[in-house]
């Protein structure tokens, strides 16, 4: 049973480019969470999605960031016009029930903005 | 708003020695509390969690943690550390209820554990 798969593992972008981060949840999981880890910081909640629905996006920056979890395919975190401050590790977690005590985390995508 | 403090950024212990990682939280009611471990290049793995009941909880890999409401603490312990325990450890707090606004966990900044052979 494969775990939560995130790709790419490393992503390098120049300022102003777009970054797309993908997350395939564990089989049977329909709840996805995105967290961001800045250097020297703990993980910060960004968004919680169920299939085709955004449930809680209170942690998402108001501009340039968006997330989706379509009926088919992985969840996508999209960052438009990246800036150096977006450099961070982005973690995806999934759960079968939407209850935070059963979160399974992926290995993360390290985004570096030049 | 909830918050988590892990006062120790980096701890070094000898293999076989005991370990205690500190975690203090701020939350208005009874929280859900978690300890996660992150090995280099890996995602977070849940070690243990506390929701209610017995304040001493057992987790995987020989870890345990004790919830002390009076001290707002949830310290992680292990009686004898193995070299494979070297990793970063995160304490997290979640809302002690289900429903709107309860979906997110708040993490501390982590404690990096180094183990001397």
């Amino acid at each position: 049973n494969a775990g939560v798969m995130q790709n790419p593992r490393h992503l390098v972008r120049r300022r102003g480019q777009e970054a797309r981060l993908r997350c395939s949840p564990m089989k049977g999981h329909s709840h996805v969470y995105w967290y961001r880890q800045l250097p020297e910081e703990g993980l910060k909640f960004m968004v919680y999605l169920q299939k085709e629905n955004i449930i809680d996006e209170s942690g998402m920056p108001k501009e340039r960031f968006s997330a989706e979890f379509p009926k088919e395919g992985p969840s996508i975190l999209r960052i438009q016009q990246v800036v150096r401050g977006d450099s961070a590790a982005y973690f995806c977690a999934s759960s079968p029930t939407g209850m935070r005590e059963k979160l399974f985390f992926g290995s993360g995508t390290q985004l570096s903005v030049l | 708003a909830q918050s988590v403090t892990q006062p120790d950024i980096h701890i070094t212990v000898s293999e076989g020695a005991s370990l205690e990682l500190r975690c203090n939280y701020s939350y208005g009611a009874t929280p859900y509390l978690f300890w996660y471990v992150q090995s280099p290049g890996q995602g977070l793995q849940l070690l243990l969690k506390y929701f209610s009941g017995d304040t001493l909880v057992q987790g995987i890999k020989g870890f345990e943690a004790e919830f002390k409401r009076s001290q707002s603490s949830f310290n992680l312990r292990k009686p004898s550390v193995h070299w494979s325990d070297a990793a970063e450890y995160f304490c997290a707090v979640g809302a002690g209820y289900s429903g709107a606004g309860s979906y997110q966990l708040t993490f501390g900044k982590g404690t990096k554990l180094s183990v001397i052979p």
Side-chain angles (χ1 to χ4, degrees):
Chain A
N1 183 17
V4 177
M5 303 300 293
Q6 290 189 248
N7 65 83
R9 289 295 304 274
H10 301 276
L11 182 61
V12 179
R13 285 287 178 266
R14 296 189 181 280
R15 283 179 295 171
Q17 292 183 319
E18 179 180 286
R20 281 182 175 246
L21 288 63
R22 297 176 194 79
C23 169
S24 296
M26 288 182 69
K27 186 177 181 180
H29 290 194
S30 58
H31 303 257
V32 165
Y33 306 76
W34 286 93
Y35 281 78
R36 177 166 65 174
Q37 185 179 29
L38 294 168
E40 311 296 324
E41 297 285 330
L43 278 74
K44 304 288 188 190
F45 170 80
M46 300 182 75
V47 62
Y48 163 43
L49 311 103
Q50 293 179 25
K51 287 281 189 180
E52 300 183 279
N53 286 300
I54 297 174
I55 307 302
D56 181 354
E57 56 181 347
S58 59
M60 288 277 272
K62 294 288 184 265
E63 298 178 348
R64 302 186 298 107
F65 284 72
S66 62
E68 63 177 7
F69 189 17
K71 186 176 181 181
E72 301 291 338
S75 175
I76 305 289
L77 180 67
R78 181 184 179 202
I79 311 172
Q80 296 177 289
Q81 299 176 323
V82 296
V83 300
R84 289 222 172 106
D86 297 331
S87 295
Y90 292 82
F91 288 94
C92 168
S94 73
S95 80
T97 62
M99 298 177 72
R100 56 223 174 276
E101 63 267 28
K102 292 183 180 179
L103 292 184
F104 296 84
F105 281 84
S107 298
T109 293
Q110 181 65 50
L111 172 65
S112 298
V113 180
L114 304 179
Chain B
Q2 56 210 40
S3 66
V4 177
T5 301
Q6 294 180 247
D8 304 305
I9 296 174
H10 192 181
I11 285 182
T12 301
V13 300
S14 297
E15 191 169 17
S18 63
L19 172 70
E20 182 169 30
L21 303 182
R22 295 184 289 165
C23 172
N24 293 96
Y25 68 90
S26 174
Y27 185 69
T30 300
Y32 288 0
L33 294 161
F34 307 82
W35 274 99
Y36 282 86
V37 60
Q38 184 182 28
S39 298
Q42 302 296 315
L44 280 73
Q45 181 183 19
L46 180 65
L47 283 175
L48 47 78
K49 58 186 183 285
Y50 171 79
F51 294 155
S52 63
D54 192 348
T55 56
L56 183 64
V57 294
Q58 302 297 322
I60 62 172
K61 304 184 179 185
F63 285 92
E64 66 177 26
E66 185 172 12
F67 170 56
K68 292 186 177 180
R69 183 190 305 275
S70 61
Q71 298 177 19
S72 297
S73 69
F74 188 56
N75 294 348
L76 182 71
R77 299 193 295 251
K78 186 170 185 178
S80 178
V81 170
H82 188 263
W83 63 266
S84 61
D85 294 324
E88 191 152 20
Y89 293 79
F90 292 93
C91 180
V93 62
Y97 64 91
S98 296
S102 69
Y103 308 112
Q104 52 187 280
L105 296 180
T106 298
F107 286 82
K109 293 185 178 183
T111 297
K112 185 175 181 180
L113 174 66
S114 297
V115 180
I116 300 172

